[in-house]
Structures are given as structure tokens and as C-alpha cells.
Amino acid sequence: VQLQASGGGLVQAGGSLRLSCAASGRTFNNAMGWFRQAPGKDREFVAGISWSGGRIDYADSAKGRFTISRDNAKNTVYLQMNSLKPEDTAIYYCAADYYLSALRMSPNYWGQGTLVTVSS
């Protein structure tokens, strides 16, 4: 499985961005999600969604501001980020695994990162 993330950029605090991640190759009915890594910090889980979309998990930092969704016909997952804060600045990574619980702990598949910079 190959994961291609896009949509990062520079935005002012309070602004919005939408990240996309397209899966290709030997795809499966996978859970997909997003992690991020800020400078000098460990990579952390942001949001994840099951194949059916019936289960969604968010990190506390994302609740109420970020929305994850997916389009299985396009093998693509999205992360709509609103009310962005400078502390959201990080490289955002797309990830996939068979189950959402596994994805949240240690995904088997990673995409390249896309940089999100939020200016104050």
C-alpha cells in the first residue's frame, strides 16, 4: 500500500486547511488516519477512521476543530482542520492499518509527510 498525502501549507492562526491522503497499490478494507510530529516532539496520533466510517477517533487536541472523513471510491481520506493554532504546526503523516485500534497504536503503513505551518 502506498499513501500519498497532500494539502499542507502555511496558514494564519484561526484559518483552515484540508489534508488529503490517497491510497494506491494493494489496498484493502483498511482503517486510515493521521499522525503529526512537531519540531522536537514525538509523533502523535491525530485522528483515525474505520473502513466503513462507522468508527472515528480523535486526539483530544483535535476534537471540535478537526474532522476526518473518507471516500472509499477514491481510496482517499481527508482531514479538515479548522480554527488552527500555532501549536498545530507539524509534519502531518497519513497512515493505514487493518483495524483502527491497530492504526492508533502502531500503523503498518505510512505515507510521506506534509508540512502544516500555522503562523500567529
Side-chain angles (χ1 to χ4, degrees):
V1 176
Q2 291 80 49
L3 303 173
Q4 181 71 41
S6 61
L10 173 64
V11 64
Q12 289 188 331
S16 298
L17 280 176
R18 188 175 84 152
L19 306 183
S20 299
C21 175
S24 61
R26 297 186 66 181
T27 59
F28 50 93
N29 294 351
N30 51 300
M32 295 183 73
W34 295 91
F35 286 70
R36 70 184 183 185
Q37 187 167 18
K41 295 187 177 181
D42 294 334
R43 191 175 300 188
E44 64 177 3
F45 172 80
V46 176
I49 185 169
S50 63
W51 166 255
S52 68
R55 182 180 169 190
I56 292 176
D57 285 344
Y58 292 103
D60 288 344
S61 59
K63 290 178 181 176
R65 299 188 300 125
F66 295 1
T67 302
I68 190 169
S69 61
R70 66 186 299 159
D71 183 342
N72 288 342
K74 297 180 179 179
N75 287 323
T76 299
V77 65
Y78 305 96
L79 186 68
Q80 177 67 43
M81 304 186 294
N82 298 328
S83 302
L84 283 162
K85 305 174 182 179
E87 51 264 44
D88 294 318
T89 295
I91 299 174
Y92 284 71
Y93 297 90
C94 178
D97 207 307
Y98 288 94
Y99 302 108
L100 183 54
S101 55
L103 180 144
R104 182 161 187 160
M105 295 302 294
S106 182
N108 275 318
Y109 303 97
W110 289 97
Q112 95 294 354
T114 185
L115 177 62
V116 172
T117 303
V118 184
S119 63
S120 57

